[in-house]
Amino acid sequence: MTAKTEKLLAILKAQPVVPVLIVDDAKSAVPLARALVAGGLKAIEITMRTPAALDAIRAVAAEVEGANVGAGTILSARDWDAAVAAGSTFIVSPGVTLGILDAAKASDVPILPGAATPSEVMALREEGVEVMKFFPAEQAGGAAYLKALSSPLAGTLFCPTGGISLKNAKDYLSLPNVVCVGGSWVAPKELVAAGDWAGITRLASEAAAIKA
């Protein structure tokens, strides 16, 4: 296991759920992240799906004590460079390209690349990747599909993301090849819009307490 893999696992194993956030207003990023950290979810993925994403990552990295902020929806080496420059401590991609792999190899920041088929997992294993994002989890076959991969692809660990909620998180977390899950339910848009940070802390605490 490489040092970067160990660094990634240290982040992911610290909590059962990694919040996956779409931040529309960078001003909400710091109180949102503080609410999640207060609830026990210190590793936070801010997706690069909005113009506010980089400013949000930069603010959380600089201002939120205890947070491990990562960048999600990385689609290119250019995205990688911008996210790392903003302060991301880990990188998440829905799939992978040669450009992203090259950027990952040249960086000290660990990557959690997406994979949904045995061939994709095998190709990433050949590149030295041992921990992957299973995406989109529910749509790609769910916990039963991922369980079926555990024996032929032994030694690979996953963070399933996509369609996961409080109701089905345990189905994934009980699997031997799952290290954590990613989910957006801990930060609903309506609570963020209302500035209900206490409500988000309650949801984070509930997620942090999930046992496999």
Side-chain angles (χ1 to χ4, degrees), residues 186-202:
V186 293
K189 283 188 175 181
E190 59 271 19
L191 294 191
V192 175
D196 186 356
W197 311 125
I200 288 173
T201 294
R202 284 194 297 272

Side-chain angles (χ1 to χ4, degrees), residues 1 15 17 30-31 46-47 54 69 84 86 91 103 107-108 114 129 134 148-149 158-159 177 183 188-189 203 205 210:
M1 186 178 296
Q15 60 201 61
V17 180
V30 167
I46 295 178
T47 60
L54 284 174
V69 60
V84 170
I91 297 291
S107 174
D108 291 332
V129 178
F134 176 54
L149 297 184
F158 295 94
C159 173
N177 54 346
K189 283 188 175 181
L203 290 175
S205 298
I210 296 174

